[in-house]
Amino acid sequence: MKKVLRTVCFILSLVLVISAVACSKAGDPDEERGTEPVADSGTSTPAPSNAKEDSESGKEEGPVEISILTSGDNTPSADNIVLQELGKRTNTVINMTYVPGTDLPTKKSTLAASDSLPDIFPTGGGEAIEFKEGGLLAEVRDLVDQFAPNILENVGENLSKSPVNNNGIYMILTAKLPYCRQLNLRTDWLKNLKMDLPDDLDSLYDVLYAYTHNDPDGDGKNDTFGLCANTSPLMFASIFGAYGIPATKAIELDDGTVTSWVKHPEFLEAMAYINKLNRDGLIEPDWATIPQMDMFAKLWNGVAGGIEWECVGPTNNWMPSRYTEATPPTFDFPTIKGPEGKYGTPAAMPPLTTGYAFSSKCENLEAAVKLANFCMSEEGSELLYLGVEDVMFKWIEEPNGKYEYLGEYKDNATHRAAGGFCYWGLFAPTMNAEIRTFNKQTQDGVALARKNGISYVNIVQPLESRTEYGADMDQIIDEMYVDLLVADSDLQPIYDTYIKEWEEIGGKEWEQEATAAWKEENN
């Protein structure tokens, strides 16, 4: 009933706002932009030399104008060469609106209320369903089947699994898989200490102890510690994984009940191990308050011996420029097994509730679908990620993903102002340009982490109990985790008190709804 009321209210609000816009500011297409921090950006791409010919008239068919909304933390120029090149390769003129990620929800709401969503835009979850029910999304199944082999190759088998696509294709799912957490431990320190890479919880403790107390960098100072940490449980994902727990994810108990990961039978055992690491001073001493970038800096500056993070950072994106030591550190990715031989971190599950959609107002859906299909190709991903070949970058060893930026584009700010890197995420295929250009160790690390992924309950339909109580439930779990991490007494009473509060605040209701939804999705 609540869902129906929300949908009715959403549609009525659209009608009222559209009427107000039509009466008060007809003919003013820029008014809804207000005072956005980043202005809408568009290009005036000249007609490409290989423009299509109209089959009846024989005249050249000009490029089709396509509008796109996306977001990020960069500031690309409005008329940049990446968009120009994309337009040439797809016979389009790209009008790109690029806003900061924090502004994206507000921007979409404003555009939806004025019935002026761009031709292609990111969406997902409850928003996508409401947009669909409000008549704002185009159904594109036939066009995808006919003109989008790259989309079908990347996400075709999962398209129908998304709730918004229950009676057609209204949203193209995100194809880019998330990266899994894994331990990144300094192997140069292991070599100095004459120790082996740990493979279980006991040997991991010994290594972290030595990193903290045995002068692993050989400078004669007591200025190092074992493992980076902050208030996120994912900083210990491999330790939880050693007990079979997918940290921060929903799980299914033996009796079929779907519940929070903190109700796993081995949760307190895992917390006792992490609590000991903290009490013995083997992790970041300021974990409760340290900002994320400062935490990273402890690794970059040679203070921390390891971090639980996607290996993409430590061994690729940060290597070697972020590290301050004369000789950059070396890393490896240990698989830590628990008492029963379990291991891993939360799996990289295909996203089923996020992606991008086409506006029902799009005047040329065929051209928009073809554009998106190109962007999800190897060629398109390369263009959006690296930029224009032989202008912004060149390949050194393309089969091995080795390249270099050229001239002024060696500067990140200049490269991104020209459109490099800024737009690739919206359309990224599964095997995208980012993965293809990782160094060999990082590619192997990504593959290892995904191989070791722990499956979890991944409910795709929106749950009313989650919408209503989710924030309070999460806050209770966050507070419990911190209290358990710093406790100097029996953990069980602390745990019991928080779990009771969690159940009373909405946890029990959510468990019932989640269990029913999970059974329905798996029948």
Side-chain angles (χ1 to χ4, degrees):
M1 185 62 181
K2 293 178 182 178
K3 177 180 178 182
V4 174
L5 289 174
R6 284 200 302 270
T7 302
V8 171
C9 292
F10 173 78
I11 296 173
L12 288 175
S13 67
L14 288 180
V15 174
L16 291 173
V17 175
I18 292 167
S19 299
V21 170
C23 293
S24 63
K25 50 179 181 174
D28 186 359
D30 295 325
E31 184 65 27
E32 78 277 2
R33 295 176 184 173
T35 56
E36 286 290 324
V38 176
D40 292 357
S41 58
T43 65
S44 299
T45 308
S49 58
N50 62 339
K52 299 178 181 178
E53 290 190 358
D54 187 288
S55 58
E56 295 181 0
S57 66
K59 296 180 180 179
E60 284 192 345
E61 182 181 294
V64 176
E65 191 166 324
I66 300 294
S67 57
I68 304 174
L69 171 67
T70 190
S71 65
D73 57 1
N74 301 292
T75 53
S77 300
D79 186 17
N80 65 66
I81 62 174
V82 167
L83 292 181
Q84 291 173 10
E85 184 66 21
L86 178 60
K88 291 177 183 178
R89 298 190 194 183
T90 58
N91 195 38
T92 59
V93 174
I94 311 296
N95 294 316
M96 181 70 70
T97 300
Y98 187 93
V99 300
T102 54
D103 294 340
L104 183 61
T106 300
K107 184 65 175 177
K108 280 192 289 183
S109 296
T110 301
L111 293 171
S114 59
D115 200 20
S116 56
L117 283 165
D119 297 326
I120 305 174
F121 58 92
T123 188
E127 176 192 81
I129 292 174
E130 289 190 345
F131 280 2
K132 173 187 174 183
E133 293 174 345
L136 302 180
L137 305 187
E139 201 284 313
V140 294
R141 180 186 294 277
D142 290 343
L143 292 173
V144 168
D145 287 343
Q146 187 174 356
F147 300 114
N150 298 318
I151 290 176
L152 291 173
E153 179 182 355
N154 281 274
V155 297
E157 66 179 9
N158 290 322
L159 283 172
S160 61
K161 298 178 183 179
S162 178
V164 74
N165 291 336
N166 62 343
N167 61 347
I169 302 302
Y170 291 87
M171 181 177 72
I172 307 302
L173 300 177
T174 300
K176 180 179 181 290
L177 294 175
Y179 298 122
C180 299
R181 292 291 181 106
Q182 62 194 138
L183 269 178
N184 298 255
L185 288 183
R186 289 189 62 153
T187 53
D188 53 331
W189 282 11
L190 286 177
K191 183 178 180 180
N192 293 343
L193 295 165
K194 295 181 173 54
M195 300 182 75
D196 296 325
L197 197 69
D199 58 6
D200 59 22
L201 291 169
D202 289 338
S203 57
L204 175 62
Y205 180 91
D206 292 341
V207 165
L208 297 181
Y209 186 93
Y211 281 1
T212 305
H213 298 292
N214 295 352
D215 192 22
D217 56 1
D219 66 356
K221 300 177 182 178
N222 182 23
D223 57 357
T224 59
F225 61 83
L227 199 62
C228 291
N230 59 21
T231 56
S232 171
L234 287 172
M235 301 308 298
F236 302 102
S238 290
I239 293 173
F240 285 115
Y243 294 92
I245 305 171
T248 75
K249 305 299 183 180
I251 61 172
E252 183 178 13
L253 300 177
D254 290 342
D255 64 1
T257 300
V258 171
T259 188
S260 168
W261 65 288
V262 299
K263 281 195 168 185
H264 190 283
E266 309 300 323
F267 173 76
L268 276 185
E269 191 173 348
M271 281 304 312
Y273 181 95
I274 299 169
N275 174 277
K276 179 175 174 59
L277 295 182
N278 181 53
R279 286 188 290 107
D280 292 352
L282 309 187
I283 66 173
E284 164 61 57
D286 299 319
W287 64 268
T289 58
I290 192 168
Q292 181 165 286
M293 295 304 292
D294 290 348
M295 179 187 69
F296 291 156
K298 297 286 183 78
L299 190 74
W300 300 336
N301 297 336
V303 178
I307 188 171
E308 181 89 34
W309 203 256
E310 299 90 347
C311 69
V312 175
T315 62
N316 194 92
N317 294 356
W318 304 342
M319 183 67 70
S321 60
R322 288 286 191 177
Y323 298 104
T324 62
E325 296 167 271
T327 301
T330 58
F331 293 91
D332 206 344
F333 321 118
T335 297
I336 305 300
K337 296 183 178 181
E340 298 179 5
K342 299 175 182 178
Y343 57 88
T345 60
M349 307 281 275
L352 298 177
T353 59
T354 62
Y356 61 89
F358 303 91
S359 169
S360 59
K361 298 291 185 179
C362 178
E363 295 182 359
N364 196 322
L365 273 173
E366 180 181 321
V369 169
K370 288 180 176 178
L371 171 65
N373 181 69
F374 172 80
C375 291
M376 291 187 78
S377 69
E378 182 176 300
E379 178 186 354
S381 180
E382 177 185 306
L383 171 63
L384 295 182
Y385 188 84
L386 297 172
V388 182
E389 187 175 0
D390 294 329
V391 175
M392 299 172 70
F393 83 100
K394 71 174 182 180
W395 288 110
I396 299 174
E397 294 180 31
E398 185 173 357
N400 296 321
K402 293 184 179 181
Y403 67 96
E404 68 175 0
Y405 289 121
L406 301 175
E408 63 180 326
Y409 302 108
K410 292 180 180 179
D411 176 69
N412 274 346
T414 303
H415 178 257
R416 298 185 183 194
F421 190 78
C422 298
Y423 315 118
W424 76 284
L426 181 62
F427 303 104
T430 304
M431 184 52 66
N432 53 72
E434 181 175 67
I435 291 179
R436 288 172 48 222
T437 54
F438 286 155
N439 62 50
K440 182 64 164 57
Q441 183 186 26
T442 303
Q443 289 189 19
D444 291 345
V446 169
L448 175 66
R450 289 178 175 171
K451 177 183 177 183
N452 291 347
I454 302 173
S455 297
Y456 53 86
V457 171
N458 185 30
I459 298 172
V460 298
Q461 59 184 284
L463 302 180
E464 290 192 11
S465 56
R466 177 66 200 175
T467 301
E468 189 165 353
Y469 308 119
D472 292 335
M473 292 161 55
D474 291 346
Q475 182 176 346
I476 290 171
I477 288 177
D478 290 345
E479 292 175 357
M480 179 184 72
Y481 170 76
V482 170
D483 280 358
L484 291 173
L485 186 52
V486 300
D488 56 3
S489 58
D490 186 7
L491 303 186
Q492 189 70 54
I494 300 172
Y495 176 80
D496 292 341
T497 298
Y498 276 106
I499 290 299
K500 180 181 179 182
E501 184 180 359
W502 180 86
E503 292 177 345
E504 292 174 349
I505 202 68
K508 274 293 185 184
E509 185 174 334
W510 172 78
E511 284 180 339
Q512 294 173 1
E513 188 180 8
T515 300
W518 186 239
K519 289 180 179 178
E520 178 184 341
E521 290 180 8
N522 286 276
N523 283 338

